[in-house]
Amino acid sequence: MKLTFFSTLFFLFLILLFSNCQQEQERLSIKEISNPAGESSAEPNLSVGDDGQVYLSWIEKKDDLATLKFSVRQGISWSSPQIVGQGENWFANWADIPSVQPIGGQFWVAHWLVKKAGSPYAYDAFVATSNNAGRQWSTPTRLHSDASATEHGFVSIYPNGRSAGAIWLDGRNMLNDGDSLEDHGMTLRSAAISTTGSISRERL
């Protein structure tokens, strides 16, 4: 008798749970929205600011010229695209994408990759900062002190107090000979980025 009662109770609980899931699924329906990126766009990246707003960045290419742009989601629409930087020697691919990251208040940081001579997969990571919410950007600065013709990428930008920090994969040791990964393996490094765009405290 007890088994029947608890079996029935459990069955009713499953019905209630399934009903709630259906209602939640209907309430949180997925729909496609348009985006502000133009033709020949690629490398999209979404970020969220401390204000909860969503930011979309991407690269548009015309011939050899690559341009990093961003837009802010405002209600049910996007703001007009703004240019962060551009160049003819950028390293752009589907996996290692650039970013535009609001840090706090008016302070933002953006990064992208620039090709180097010496290897088809040699490139540097560059950063630029803005202190007026993306309306103007500083002169780009190389994120890392190393200038070797190796890979420097997969950058993550994050808030670090009133300034910003960055973490990236760094291939400078790949040129070395040695028996251990400490001598010649890929490394993970970090640095601090000030509101003026200066780079400091680089470390392994």
Side-chain angles (χ1 to χ4, degrees), residues 16-29:
L16 180 63
L17 181 64
F18 180 73
S19 175
N20 286 339
C21 287
Q22 275 191 318
Q23 292 176 7
E24 187 70 10
Q25 187 176 26
E26 292 173 359
R27 189 176 71 85
L28 300 176
S29 61

Side-chain angles (χ1 to χ4, degrees), residues 2 13 16 27 29 34 50-51 85 87 91-92 112 124 149 151 180:
K2 288 183 178 180
F13 170 75
L16 180 63
R27 189 176 71 85
S29 61
S34 61
D50 59 355
D51 55 1
F91 183 80
W112 59 87
D124 291 330
E151 298 176 40
S180 68

Side-chain angles (χ1 to χ4, degrees), residues 41-191:
S41 298
E43 288 76 53
N45 191 16
L46 287 172
S47 58
V48 179
D50 59 355
D51 55 1
Q53 281 192 302
V54 176
Y55 301 80
L56 172 66
S57 62
W58 67 93
I59 286 180
E60 290 184 11
K61 294 198 73 175
K62 185 175 182 180
D63 299 325
D64 293 330
L65 182 66
T67 303
L68 177 60
K69 296 184 177 182
F70 77 90
S71 178
V72 185
R73 185 71 176 173
Q74 298 174 328
I76 60 173
S77 61
W78 295 95
S79 66
S80 299
Q82 303 293 317
I83 294 177
V84 178
Q86 55 187 191
E88 294 184 344
N89 58 341
W90 284 16
F91 183 80
N93 69 87
W94 63 271
D96 198 349
I97 58 178
S99 68
V100 175
Q101 181 63 58
I103 300 299
Q106 300 282 299
F107 179 49
W108 295 15
V109 178
H111 96 274
W112 59 87
L113 308 175
V114 178
K115 295 177 183 177
K116 290 182 70 73
S119 169
Y121 298 107
Y123 52 92
D124 291 330
F126 277 78
V127 296
T129 58
S130 172
N131 287 288
N132 55 11
R135 291 187 292 276
Q136 294 172 308
W137 293 89
S138 67
T139 301
T141 304
R142 192 174 63 194
L143 177 59
H144 41 87
S145 60
D146 177 56
S148 65
T150 55
E151 298 176 40
H152 308 84
F154 294 95
V155 179
S156 291
I157 307 291
Y158 58 91
N160 184 21
R162 299 180 64 182
S163 59
I167 298 176
W168 69 94
L169 289 178
D170 193 298
R172 68 184 72 180
N173 288 355
M174 302 292 283
L175 298 177
N176 299 336
D177 294 325
D179 296 328
S180 68
L181 287 177
E182 294 180 3
D183 296 326
H184 63 80
M186 183 66 71
T187 57
L188 184 65
R189 297 177 185 263
S190 68

